[in-house]
PDB file of all heavy atoms in Angstrom:
ATOM      1  N   GLU P1348     136.032 227.842 149.214  1.00 82.00           N
ATOM      2  CA  GLU P1348     136.570 226.482 149.231  1.00 82.00           C
ATOM      3  C   GLU P1348     136.501 225.864 147.837  1.00 82.00           C
ATOM      4  O   GLU P1348     137.455 225.236 147.368  1.00 82.00           O
ATOM      5  CB  GLU P1348     135.775 225.635 150.214  1.00 82.00           C
ATOM      6  CG  GLU P1348     136.124 224.157 150.214  1.00 82.00           C
ATOM      7  CD  GLU P1348     135.153 223.308 151.022  1.00 82.00           C
ATOM      8  OE1 GLU P1348     134.313 223.878 151.751  1.00 82.00           O
ATOM      9  OE2 GLU P1348     135.227 222.073 150.919  1.00 82.00           O
ATOM     10  N   ALA P1349     135.366 226.060 147.163  1.00 84.00           N
ATOM     11  CA  ALA P1349     135.178 225.462 145.845  1.00 84.00           C
ATOM     12  C   ALA P1349     136.179 226.026 144.839  1.00 84.00           C
ATOM     13  O   ALA P1349     136.833 225.283 144.089  1.00 84.00           O
ATOM     14  CB  ALA P1349     133.754 225.700 145.366  1.00 84.00           C
ATOM     15  N   TYR P1350     136.323 227.341 144.814  1.00 86.00           N
ATOM     16  CA  TYR P1350     137.254 227.962 143.864  1.00 86.00           C
ATOM     17  C   TYR P1350     138.703 227.646 144.210  1.00 86.00           C
ATOM     18  O   TYR P1350     139.555 227.550 143.326  1.00 86.00           O
ATOM     19  CB  TYR P1350     137.041 229.475 143.814  1.00 86.00           C
ATOM     20  CG  TYR P1350     135.943 229.898 142.869  1.00 86.00           C
ATOM     21  CD1 TYR P1350     134.680 230.224 143.341  1.00 86.00           C
ATOM     22  CD2 TYR P1350     136.173 229.964 141.495  1.00 86.00           C
ATOM     23  CE1 TYR P1350     133.664 230.609 142.475  1.00 86.00           C
ATOM     24  CE2 TYR P1350     135.169 230.343 140.620  1.00 86.00           C
ATOM     25  CZ  TYR P1350     133.919 230.664 141.120  1.00 86.00           C
ATOM     26  OH  TYR P1350     132.917 231.036 140.247  1.00 86.00           O
ATOM     27  N   GLY P1351     138.981 227.484 145.504  1.00 84.00           N
ATOM     28  CA  GLY P1351     140.348 227.198 145.926  1.00 84.00           C
ATOM     29  C   GLY P1351     140.872 225.877 145.409  1.00 84.00           C
ATOM     30  O   GLY P1351     142.090 225.671 145.322  1.00 84.00           O
ATOM     31  N   GLY P1352     139.984 224.968 145.029  1.00 85.00           N
ATOM     32  CA  GLY P1352     140.414 223.666 144.557  1.00 85.00           C
ATOM     33  C   GLY P1352     140.416 223.518 143.044  1.00 85.00           C
ATOM     34  O   GLY P1352     140.627 222.414 142.531  1.00 85.00           O
ATOM     35  N   VAL P1353     140.203 224.623 142.327  1.00 90.00           N
ATOM     36  CA  VAL P1353     140.088 224.557 140.867  1.00 90.00           C
ATOM     37  C   VAL P1353     141.307 225.194 140.199  1.00 90.00           C
ATOM     38  O   VAL P1353     141.767 226.261 140.607  1.00 90.00           O
ATOM     39  CB  VAL P1353     138.814 225.275 140.388  1.00 90.00           C
ATOM     40  CG1 VAL P1353     138.809 225.421 138.877  1.00 90.00           C
ATOM     41  CG2 VAL P1353     137.574 224.510 140.840  1.00 90.00           C
ATOM     42  N   THR P1354     141.826 224.537 139.175  1.00 89.00           N
ATOM     43  CA  THR P1354     142.858 225.124 138.314  1.00 89.00           C
ATOM     44  C   THR P1354     142.187 225.570 137.020  1.00 89.00           C
ATOM     45  O   THR P1354     141.738 224.729 136.227  1.00 89.00           O
ATOM     46  CB  THR P1354     143.963 224.103 137.994  1.00 89.00           C
ATOM     47  OG1 THR P1354     144.564 223.668 139.228  1.00 89.00           O
ATOM     48  CG2 THR P1354     145.016 224.729 137.106  1.00 89.00           C
ATOM     49  N   PRO P1355     142.067 226.879 136.790  1.00 93.00           N
ATOM     50  CA  PRO P1355     141.361 227.362 135.595  1.00 93.00           C
ATOM     51  C   PRO P1355     142.014 226.855 134.308  1.00 93.00           C
ATOM     52  O   PRO P1355     143.240 226.742 134.215  1.00 93.00           O
ATOM     53  CB  PRO P1355     141.477 228.887 135.707  1.00 93.00           C
ATOM     54  CG  PRO P1355     141.682 229.148 137.167  1.00 93.00           C
ATOM     55  CD  PRO P1355     142.504 227.994 137.661  1.00 93.00           C
ATOM     56  N   ALA P1356     141.202 226.548 133.313  1.00 93.00           N
ATOM     57  CA  ALA P1356     141.705 226.078 132.021  1.00 93.00           C
ATOM     58  C   ALA P1356     140.612 226.221 130.973  1.00 93.00           C
ATOM     59  O   ALA P1356     139.425 226.110 131.280  1.00 93.00           O
ATOM     60  CB  ALA P1356     142.156 224.623 132.117  1.00 93.00           C
ATOM     61  N   VAL P1357     141.019 226.450 129.745  1.00 92.00           N
ATOM     62  CA  VAL P1357     140.073 226.517 128.637  1.00 92.00           C
ATOM     63  C   VAL P1357     139.729 225.094 128.213  1.00 92.00           C
ATOM     64  O   VAL P1357     140.637 224.295 127.927  1.00 92.00           O
ATOM     65  CB  VAL P1357     140.665 227.296 127.442  1.00 92.00           C
ATOM     66  CG1 VAL P1357     139.695 227.303 126.263  1.00 92.00           C
ATOM     67  CG2 VAL P1357     141.004 228.727 127.854  1.00 92.00           C
ATOM     68  N   PRO P1358     138.460 224.708 128.164  1.00 91.00           N
ATOM     69  CA  PRO P1358     138.088 223.331 127.807  1.00 91.00           C
ATOM     70  C   PRO P1358     138.341 223.036 126.330  1.00 91.00           C
ATOM     71  O   PRO P1358     138.333 223.940 125.492  1.00 91.00           O
ATOM     72  CB  PRO P1358     136.591 223.289 128.127  1.00 91.00           C
ATOM     73  CG  PRO P1358     136.132 224.704 127.969  1.00 91.00           C
ATOM     74  CD  PRO P1358     137.275 225.557 128.447  1.00 91.00           C
ATOM     75  N   HIS P1359     138.569 221.775 126.036  1.00 89.00           N
ATOM     76  CA  HIS P1359     138.791 221.380 124.645  1.00 89.00           C
ATOM     77  C   HIS P1359     137.509 221.477 123.828  1.00 89.00           C
ATOM     78  O   HIS P1359     137.530 221.803 122.629  1.00 89.00           O
ATOM     79  CB  HIS P1359     139.338 219.948 124.587  1.00 89.00           C
ATOM     80  CG  HIS P1359     140.685 219.791 125.217  1.00 89.00           C
ATOM     81  ND1 HIS P1359     141.818 220.425 124.747  1.00 89.00           N
ATOM     82  CD2 HIS P1359     141.087 219.085 126.305  1.00 89.00           C
ATOM     83  CE1 HIS P1359     142.852 220.109 125.489  1.00 89.00           C
ATOM     84  NE2 HIS P1359     142.441 219.292 126.453  1.00 89.00           N
ATOM     85  N   VAL P1360     136.375 221.165 124.470  1.00 93.00           N
ATOM     86  CA  VAL P1360     135.074 221.243 123.796  1.00 93.00           C
ATOM     87  C   VAL P1360     134.186 222.165 124.609  1.00 93.00           C
ATOM     88  O   VAL P1360     134.081 222.023 125.826  1.00 93.00           O
ATOM     89  CB  VAL P1360     134.415 219.840 123.680  1.00 93.00           C
ATOM     90  CG1 VAL P1360     133.116 219.944 122.889  1.00 93.00           C
ATOM     91  CG2 VAL P1360     135.374 218.847 123.033  1.00 93.00           C
ATOM     92  N   ARG P1361     133.539 223.112 123.931  1.00 95.00           N
ATOM     93  CA  ARG P1361     132.730 224.088 124.641  1.00 95.00           C
ATOM     94  C   ARG P1361     131.360 223.514 124.976  1.00 95.00           C
ATOM     95  O   ARG P1361     130.834 222.612 124.307  1.00 95.00           O
ATOM     96  CB  ARG P1361     132.579 225.372 123.808  1.00 95.00           C
ATOM     97  CG  ARG P1361     133.877 225.955 123.314  1.00 95.00           C
ATOM     98  CD  ARG P1361     134.932 226.100 124.406  1.00 95.00           C
ATOM     99  NE  ARG P1361     134.668 227.178 125.326  1.00 95.00           N
ATOM    100  CZ  ARG P1361     135.306 228.358 125.308  1.00 95.00           C
ATOM    101  NH1 ARG P1361     136.243 228.599 124.399  1.00 95.00           N
ATOM    102  NH2 ARG P1361     135.013 229.282 126.201  1.00 95.00           N
ATOM    103  N   ILE P1362     130.777 224.061 126.028  1.00 97.00           N
ATOM    104  CA  ILE P1362     129.504 223.548 126.531  1.00 97.00           C
ATOM    105  C   ILE P1362     128.402 223.638 125.481  1.00 97.00           C
ATOM    106  O   ILE P1362     127.590 222.717 125.328  1.00 97.00           O
ATOM    107  CB  ILE P1362     129.117 224.302 127.816  1.00 97.00           C
ATOM    108  CG1 ILE P1362     130.021 223.853 128.974  1.00 97.00           C
ATOM    109  CG2 ILE P1362     127.643 224.075 128.168  1.00 97.00           C
ATOM    110  CD1 ILE P1362     129.815 224.618 130.259  1.00 97.00           C
ATOM    111  N   LYS P1363     128.358 224.738 124.744  1.00 96.00           N
ATOM    112  CA  LYS P1363     127.312 224.897 123.723  1.00 96.00           C
ATOM    113  C   LYS P1363     127.336 223.746 122.720  1.00 96.00           C
ATOM    114  O   LYS P1363     126.282 223.246 122.306  1.00 96.00           O
ATOM    115  CB  LYS P1363     127.486 226.229 122.995  1.00 96.00           C
ATOM    116  CG  LYS P1363     126.398 226.507 121.974  1.00 96.00           C
ATOM    117  CD  LYS P1363     126.588 227.874 121.320  1.00 96.00           C
ATOM    118  CE  LYS P1363     125.474 228.150 120.308  1.00 96.00           C
ATOM    119  NZ  LYS P1363     125.639 229.489 119.678  1.00 96.00           N
ATOM    120  N   GLU P1364     128.529 223.309 122.360  1.00 96.00           N
ATOM    121  CA  GLU P1364     128.667 222.206 121.404  1.00 96.00           C
ATOM    122  C   GLU P1364     128.202 220.889 122.024  1.00 96.00           C
ATOM    123  O   GLU P1364     127.508 220.092 121.393  1.00 96.00           O
ATOM    124  CB  GLU P1364     130.126 222.103 120.969  1.00 96.00           C
ATOM    125  CG  GLU P1364     130.391 221.004 119.944  1.00 96.00           C
ATOM    126  CD  GLU P1364     131.840 220.950 119.523  1.00 96.00           C
ATOM    127  OE1 GLU P1364     132.569 221.954 119.727  1.00 96.00           O
ATOM    128  OE2 GLU P1364     132.260 219.897 118.992  1.00 96.00           O
ATOM    129  N   ILE P1365     128.560 220.667 123.281  1.00 97.00           N
ATOM    130  CA  ILE P1365     128.181 219.420 123.947  1.00 97.00           C
ATOM    131  C   ILE P1365     126.667 219.309 124.080  1.00 97.00           C
ATOM    132  O   ILE P1365     126.079 218.233 123.914  1.00 97.00           O
ATOM    133  CB  ILE P1365     128.841 219.335 125.332  1.00 97.00           C
ATOM    134  CG1 ILE P1365     130.358 219.281 125.201  1.00 97.00           C
ATOM    135  CG2 ILE P1365     128.331 218.114 126.109  1.00 97.00           C
ATOM    136  CD1 ILE P1365     131.097 219.410 126.520  1.00 97.00           C
ATOM    137  N   LEU P1366     126.011 220.434 124.368  1.00 97.00           N
ATOM    138  CA  LEU P1366     124.570 220.419 124.595  1.00 97.00           C
ATOM    139  C   LEU P1366     123.759 220.079 123.348  1.00 97.00           C
ATOM    140  O   LEU P1366     122.566 219.802 123.456  1.00 97.00           O
ATOM    141  CB  LEU P1366     124.113 221.767 125.165  1.00 97.00           C
ATOM    142  CG  LEU P1366     124.628 222.108 126.569  1.00 97.00           C
ATOM    143  CD1 LEU P1366     124.110 223.477 126.999  1.00 97.00           C
ATOM    144  CD2 LEU P1366     124.233 221.048 127.586  1.00 97.00           C
ATOM    145  N   GLN P1367     124.399 220.111 122.201  1.00 96.00           N
ATOM    146  CA  GLN P1367     123.696 219.713 120.978  1.00 96.00           C
ATOM    147  C   GLN P1367     123.579 218.194 120.855  1.00 96.00           C
ATOM    148  O   GLN P1367     122.815 217.682 120.040  1.00 96.00           O
ATOM    149  CB  GLN P1367     124.425 220.274 119.743  1.00 96.00           C
ATOM    150  CG  GLN P1367     124.637 221.785 119.779  1.00 96.00           C
ATOM    151  CD  GLN P1367     123.382 222.556 120.090  1.00 96.00           C
ATOM    152  OE1 GLN P1367     122.345 222.362 119.451  1.00 96.00           O
ATOM    153  NE2 GLN P1367     123.451 223.433 121.095  1.00 96.00           N
ATOM    154  N   LYS P1368     124.345 217.486 121.674  1.00 96.00           N
ATOM    155  CA  LYS P1368     124.314 216.026 121.642  1.00 96.00           C
ATOM    156  C   LYS P1368     123.163 215.512 122.510  1.00 96.00           C
ATOM    157  O   LYS P1368     122.665 216.222 123.381  1.00 96.00           O
ATOM    158  CB  LYS P1368     125.634 215.449 122.167  1.00 96.00           C
ATOM    159  CG  LYS P1368     126.882 215.903 121.404  1.00 96.00           C
ATOM    160  CD  LYS P1368     128.126 215.335 122.053  1.00 96.00           C
ATOM    161  CE  LYS P1368     129.382 215.812 121.340  1.00 96.00           C
ATOM    162  NZ  LYS P1368     129.461 215.256 119.972  1.00 96.00           N
ATOM    163  N   PRO P1369     122.701 214.273 122.294  1.00 96.00           N
ATOM    164  CA  PRO P1369     121.680 213.691 123.172  1.00 96.00           C
ATOM    165  C   PRO P1369     122.160 213.666 124.618  1.00 96.00           C
ATOM    166  O   PRO P1369     123.359 213.532 124.890  1.00 96.00           O
ATOM    167  CB  PRO P1369     121.511 212.268 122.608  1.00 96.00           C
ATOM    168  CG  PRO P1369     121.985 212.349 121.196  1.00 96.00           C
ATOM    169  CD  PRO P1369     123.080 213.367 121.193  1.00 96.00           C
ATOM    170  N   VAL P1370     121.234 213.775 125.564  1.00 97.00           N
ATOM    171  CA  VAL P1370     121.589 213.825 126.987  1.00 97.00           C
ATOM    172  C   VAL P1370     122.422 212.608 127.389  1.00 97.00           C
ATOM    173  O   VAL P1370     123.352 212.719 128.195  1.00 97.00           O
ATOM    174  CB  VAL P1370     120.311 213.910 127.856  1.00 97.00           C
ATOM    175  CG1 VAL P1370     120.666 213.923 129.332  1.00 97.00           C
ATOM    176  CG2 VAL P1370     119.496 215.148 127.497  1.00 97.00           C
ATOM    177  N   ALA P1371     122.108 211.460 126.841  1.00 96.00           N
ATOM    178  CA  ALA P1371     122.817 210.234 127.203  1.00 96.00           C
ATOM    179  C   ALA P1371     124.294 210.277 126.830  1.00 96.00           C
ATOM    180  O   ALA P1371     125.082 209.466 127.324  1.00 96.00           O
ATOM    181  CB  ALA P1371     122.151 209.025 126.558  1.00 96.00           C
ATOM    182  N   GLU P1372     124.708 211.229 125.981  1.00 97.00           N
ATOM    183  CA  GLU P1372     126.118 211.347 125.582  1.00 97.00           C
ATOM    184  C   GLU P1372     126.871 212.404 126.377  1.00 97.00           C
ATOM    185  O   GLU P1372     128.049 212.661 126.133  1.00 97.00           O
ATOM    186  CB  GLU P1372     126.197 211.654 124.080  1.00 97.00           C
ATOM    187  CG  GLU P1372     125.665 210.543 123.204  1.00 97.00           C
ATOM    188  CD  GLU P1372     125.800 210.853 121.715  1.00 97.00           C
ATOM    189  OE1 GLU P1372     126.608 211.730 121.360  1.00 97.00           O
ATOM    190  OE2 GLU P1372     125.087 210.220 120.906  1.00 97.00           O
ATOM    191  N   TRP P1373     126.209 213.025 127.354  1.00 98.00           N
ATOM    192  CA  TRP P1373     126.855 214.087 128.123  1.00 98.00           C
ATOM    193  C   TRP P1373     127.793 213.555 129.196  1.00 98.00           C
ATOM    194  O   TRP P1373     128.697 214.265 129.638  1.00 98.00           O
ATOM    195  CB  TRP P1373     125.800 214.956 128.813  1.00 98.00           C
ATOM    196  CG  TRP P1373     124.946 215.771 127.907  1.00 98.00           C
ATOM    197  CD1 TRP P1373     125.017 215.898 126.558  1.00 98.00           C
ATOM    198  CD2 TRP P1373     123.831 216.580 128.313  1.00 98.00           C
ATOM    199  NE1 TRP P1373     124.046 216.732 126.084  1.00 98.00           N
ATOM    200  CE2 TRP P1373     123.306 217.165 127.142  1.00 98.00           C
ATOM    201  CE3 TRP P1373     123.242 216.861 129.548  1.00 98.00           C
ATOM    202  CZ2 TRP P1373     122.202 218.022 127.181  1.00 98.00           C
ATOM    203  CZ3 TRP P1373     122.157 217.713 129.602  1.00 98.00           C
ATOM    204  CH2 TRP P1373     121.643 218.294 128.415  1.00 98.00           C
ATOM    205  N   LYS P1374     127.583 212.333 129.653  1.00 96.00           N
ATOM    206  CA  LYS P1374     128.204 211.842 130.882  1.00 96.00           C
ATOM    207  C   LYS P1374     129.704 212.097 130.970  1.00 96.00           C
ATOM    208  O   LYS P1374     130.206 212.579 131.992  1.00 96.00           O
ATOM    209  CB  LYS P1374     127.912 210.343 131.041  1.00 96.00           C
ATOM    210  CG  LYS P1374     128.542 209.734 132.289  1.00 96.00           C
ATOM    211  CD  LYS P1374     128.205 208.257 132.421  1.00 96.00           C
ATOM    212  CE  LYS P1374     128.872 207.658 133.661  1.00 96.00           C
ATOM    213  NZ  LYS P1374     128.569 206.213 133.811  1.00 96.00           N
ATOM    214  N   ASP P1375     130.451 211.780 129.953  1.00 92.00           N
ATOM    215  CA  ASP P1375     131.908 211.851 130.029  1.00 92.00           C
ATOM    216  C   ASP P1375     132.496 213.142 129.479  1.00 92.00           C
ATOM    217  O   ASP P1375     133.727 213.314 129.503  1.00 92.00           O
ATOM    218  CB  ASP P1375     132.530 210.653 129.294  1.00 92.00           C
ATOM    219  CG  ASP P1375     132.147 209.326 129.929  1.00 92.00           C
ATOM    220  OD1 ASP P1375     132.116 209.260 131.176  1.00 92.00           O
ATOM    221  OD2 ASP P1375     131.852 208.371 129.178  1.00 92.00           O
ATOM    222  N   VAL P1376     131.640 214.035 128.991  1.00 96.00           N
ATOM    223  CA  VAL P1376     132.177 215.252 128.361  1.00 96.00           C
ATOM    224  C   VAL P1376     131.659 216.548 128.967  1.00 96.00           C
ATOM    225  O   VAL P1376     132.323 217.584 128.872  1.00 96.00           O
ATOM    226  CB  VAL P1376     131.878 215.250 126.838  1.00 96.00           C
ATOM    227  CG1 VAL P1376     132.730 214.205 126.131  1.00 96.00           C
ATOM    228  CG2 VAL P1376     130.398 215.019 126.548  1.00 96.00           C
ATOM    229  N   LEU P1377     130.473 216.518 129.589  1.00 98.00           N
ATOM    230  CA  LEU P1377     129.904 217.724 130.187  1.00 98.00           C
ATOM    231  C   LEU P1377     130.260 217.724 131.670  1.00 98.00           C
ATOM    232  O   LEU P1377     129.684 216.990 132.464  1.00 98.00           O
ATOM    233  CB  LEU P1377     128.384 217.748 129.986  1.00 98.00           C
ATOM    234  CG  LEU P1377     127.670 219.045 130.384  1.00 98.00           C
ATOM    235  CD1 LEU P1377     128.133 220.216 129.527  1.00 98.00           C
ATOM    236  CD2 LEU P1377     126.151 218.885 130.263  1.00 98.00           C
ATOM    237  N   LYS P1378     131.211 218.558 132.043  1.00 97.00           N
ATOM    238  CA  LYS P1378     131.800 218.476 133.378  1.00 97.00           C
ATOM    239  C   LYS P1378     131.553 219.739 134.194  1.00 97.00           C
ATOM    240  O   LYS P1378     131.347 220.825 133.654  1.00 97.00           O
ATOM    241  CB  LYS P1378     133.320 218.239 133.258  1.00 97.00           C
ATOM    242  CG  LYS P1378     133.667 216.953 132.507  1.00 97.00           C
ATOM    243  CD  LYS P1378     135.165 216.739 132.443  1.00 97.00           C
ATOM    244  CE  LYS P1378     135.510 215.476 131.665  1.00 97.00           C
ATOM    245  NZ  LYS P1378     134.949 214.265 132.259  1.00 97.00           N
ATOM    246  N   ASN P1379     131.590 219.559 135.504  1.00 97.00           N
ATOM    247  CA  ASN P1379     131.580 220.664 136.454  1.00 97.00           C
ATOM    248  C   ASN P1379     132.959 220.695 137.108  1.00 97.00           C
ATOM    249  O   ASN P1379     133.330 219.763 137.833  1.00 97.00           O
ATOM    250  CB  ASN P1379     130.490 220.460 137.501  1.00 97.00           C
ATOM    251  CG  ASN P1379     130.433 221.571 138.540  1.00 97.00           C
ATOM    252  OD1 ASN P1379     131.404 222.277 138.776  1.00 97.00           O
ATOM    253  ND2 ASN P1379     129.288 221.709 139.194  1.00 97.00           N
ATOM    254  N   ASP P1380     133.730 221.738 136.852  1.00 96.00           N
ATOM    255  CA  ASP P1380     135.114 221.790 137.320  1.00 96.00           C
ATOM    256  C   ASP P1380     135.247 221.759 138.841  1.00 96.00           C
ATOM    257  O   ASP P1380     136.315 221.449 139.361  1.00 96.00           O
ATOM    258  CB  ASP P1380     135.797 223.062 136.793  1.00 96.00           C
ATOM    259  CG  ASP P1380     136.219 222.942 135.333  1.00 96.00           C
ATOM    260  OD1 ASP P1380     136.187 221.815 134.797  1.00 96.00           O
ATOM    261  OD2 ASP P1380     136.575 223.972 134.736  1.00 96.00           O
ATOM    262  N   PHE P1381     134.182 222.075 139.552  1.00 95.00           N
ATOM    263  CA  PHE P1381     134.255 222.073 141.007  1.00 95.00           C
ATOM    264  C   PHE P1381     134.201 220.666 141.599  1.00 95.00           C
ATOM    265  O   PHE P1381     134.555 220.460 142.765  1.00 95.00           O
ATOM    266  CB  PHE P1381     133.106 222.888 141.609  1.00 95.00           C
ATOM    267  CG  PHE P1381     133.212 224.371 141.364  1.00 95.00           C
ATOM    268  CD1 PHE P1381     132.206 225.045 140.691  1.00 95.00           C
ATOM    269  CD2 PHE P1381     134.295 225.088 141.817  1.00 95.00           C
ATOM    270  CE1 PHE P1381     132.293 226.409 140.470  1.00 95.00           C
ATOM    271  CE2 PHE P1381     134.402 226.454 141.600  1.00 95.00           C
ATOM    272  CZ  PHE P1381     133.390 227.114 140.927  1.00 95.00           C
ATOM    273  N   GLU P1382     133.743 219.698 140.822  1.00 96.00           N
ATOM    274  CA  GLU P1382     133.470 218.382 141.399  1.00 96.00           C
ATOM    275  C   GLU P1382     134.720 217.691 141.946  1.00 96.00           C
ATOM    276  O   GLU P1382     134.662 217.058 143.008  1.00 96.00           O
ATOM    277  CB  GLU P1382     132.801 217.478 140.358  1.00 96.00           C
ATOM    278  CG  GLU P1382     131.359 217.814 140.094  1.00 96.00           C
ATOM    279  CD  GLU P1382     130.669 216.785 139.213  1.00 96.00           C
ATOM    280  OE1 GLU P1382     131.369 215.904 138.669  1.00 96.00           O
ATOM    281  OE2 GLU P1382     129.446 216.863 139.075  1.00 96.00           O
ATOM    282  N   ILE P1383     135.838 217.775 141.262  1.00 93.00           N
ATOM    283  CA  ILE P1383     137.020 217.013 141.669  1.00 93.00           C
ATOM    284  C   ILE P1383     137.424 217.355 143.096  1.00 93.00           C
ATOM    285  O   ILE P1383     137.579 216.469 143.957  1.00 93.00           O
ATOM    286  CB  ILE P1383     138.192 217.257 140.695  1.00 93.00           C
ATOM    287  CG1 ILE P1383     137.859 216.683 139.314  1.00 93.00           C
ATOM    288  CG2 ILE P1383     139.467 216.625 141.240  1.00 93.00           C
ATOM    289  CD1 ILE P1383     138.917 216.968 138.265  1.00 93.00           C
ATOM    290  N   SER P1384     137.581 218.646 143.381  1.00 92.00           N
ATOM    291  CA  SER P1384     138.037 219.036 144.720  1.00 92.00           C
ATOM    292  C   SER P1384     136.924 218.907 145.760  1.00 92.00           C
ATOM    293  O   SER P1384     137.173 218.506 146.899  1.00 92.00           O
ATOM    294  CB  SER P1384     138.581 220.458 144.703  1.00 92.00           C
ATOM    295  OG  SER P1384     137.589 221.388 144.330  1.00 92.00           O
ATOM    296  N   VAL P1385     135.687 219.225 145.374  1.00 94.00           N
ATOM    297  CA  VAL P1385     134.578 219.126 146.327  1.00 94.00           C
ATOM    298  C   VAL P1385     134.320 217.673 146.699  1.00 94.00           C
ATOM    299  O   VAL P1385     134.128 217.341 147.879  1.00 94.00           O
ATOM    300  CB  VAL P1385     133.303 219.781 145.759  1.00 94.00           C
ATOM    301  CG1 VAL P1385     132.104 219.480 146.650  1.00 94.00           C
ATOM    302  CG2 VAL P1385     133.484 221.298 145.651  1.00 94.00           C
ATOM    303  N   PHE P1386     134.333 216.774 145.725  1.00 96.00           N
ATOM    304  CA  PHE P1386     134.114 215.360 146.013  1.00 96.00           C
ATOM    305  C   PHE P1386     135.245 214.799 146.887  1.00 96.00           C
ATOM    306  O   PHE P1386     135.010 213.923 147.728  1.00 96.00           O
ATOM    307  CB  PHE P1386     134.018 214.546 144.734  1.00 96.00           C
ATOM    308  CG  PHE P1386     132.746 214.770 143.941  1.00 96.00           C
ATOM    309  CD1 PHE P1386     132.546 214.106 142.739  1.00 96.00           C
ATOM    310  CD2 PHE P1386     131.770 215.643 144.381  1.00 96.00           C
ATOM    311  CE1 PHE P1386     131.378 214.296 142.007  1.00 96.00           C
ATOM    312  CE2 PHE P1386     130.608 215.853 143.643  1.00 96.00           C
ATOM    313  CZ  PHE P1386     130.409 215.172 142.463  1.00 96.00           C
ATOM    314  N   ALA P1387     136.469 215.301 146.679  1.00 93.00           N
ATOM    315  CA  ALA P1387     137.585 214.823 147.480  1.00 93.00           C
ATOM    316  C   ALA P1387     137.406 215.210 148.947  1.00 93.00           C
ATOM    317  O   ALA P1387     137.728 214.419 149.847  1.00 93.00           O
ATOM    318  CB  ALA P1387     138.897 215.390 146.943  1.00 93.00           C
ATOM    319  N   ARG P1388     136.907 216.417 149.199  1.00 93.00           N
ATOM    320  CA  ARG P1388     136.705 216.877 150.577  1.00 93.00           C
ATOM    321  C   ARG P1388     135.411 216.329 151.176  1.00 93.00           C
ATOM    322  O   ARG P1388     135.322 216.129 152.384  1.00 93.00           O
ATOM    323  CB  ARG P1388     136.666 218.410 150.607  1.00 93.00           C
ATOM    324  CG  ARG P1388     137.990 219.082 150.342  1.00 93.00           C
ATOM    325  CD  ARG P1388     137.888 220.576 150.606  1.00 93.00           C
ATOM    326  NE  ARG P1388     139.153 221.263 150.406  1.00 93.00           N
ATOM    327  CZ  ARG P1388     139.538 221.831 149.279  1.00 93.00           C
ATOM    328  NH1 ARG P1388     138.732 221.786 148.229  1.00 93.00           N
ATOM    329  NH2 ARG P1388     140.703 222.431 149.173  1.00 93.00           N
ATOM    330  N   HIS P1389     134.409 216.131 150.316  1.00 95.00           N
ATOM    331  CA  HIS P1389     133.090 215.701 150.792  1.00 95.00           C
ATOM    332  C   HIS P1389     132.632 214.502 149.954  1.00 95.00           C
ATOM    333  O   HIS P1389     131.796 214.643 149.058  1.00 95.00           O
ATOM    334  CB  HIS P1389     132.084 216.847 150.673  1.00 95.00           C
ATOM    335  CG  HIS P1389     132.524 218.120 151.333  1.00 95.00           C
ATOM    336  ND1 HIS P1389     132.498 218.292 152.698  1.00 95.00           N
ATOM    337  CD2 HIS P1389     133.011 219.275 150.803  1.00 95.00           C
ATOM    338  CE1 HIS P1389     132.933 219.508 152.987  1.00 95.00           C
ATOM    339  NE2 HIS P1389     133.249 220.122 151.869  1.00 95.00           N
ATOM    340  N   PRO P1390     133.182 213.319 150.203  1.00 96.00           N
ATOM    341  CA  PRO P1390     132.872 212.154 149.363  1.00 96.00           C
ATOM    342  C   PRO P1390     131.391 211.794 149.342  1.00 96.00           C
ATOM    343  O   PRO P1390     130.936 211.154 148.386  1.00 96.00           O
ATOM    344  CB  PRO P1390     133.720 211.033 149.973  1.00 96.00           C
ATOM    345  CG  PRO P1390     134.108 211.522 151.330  1.00 96.00           C
ATOM    346  CD  PRO P1390     134.171 213.002 151.249  1.00 96.00           C
TER     347      PRO P1390
END
């Protein structure tokens, strides 16, 4: 179900680069691709 709702894509910024930033700056850039479809089915 989780994979069925994901459209694969190469991210603009890689996770390794994001993790070098303070945790408080992760909110809008460090993403889990499964969340959009999973949250839609299970709010």
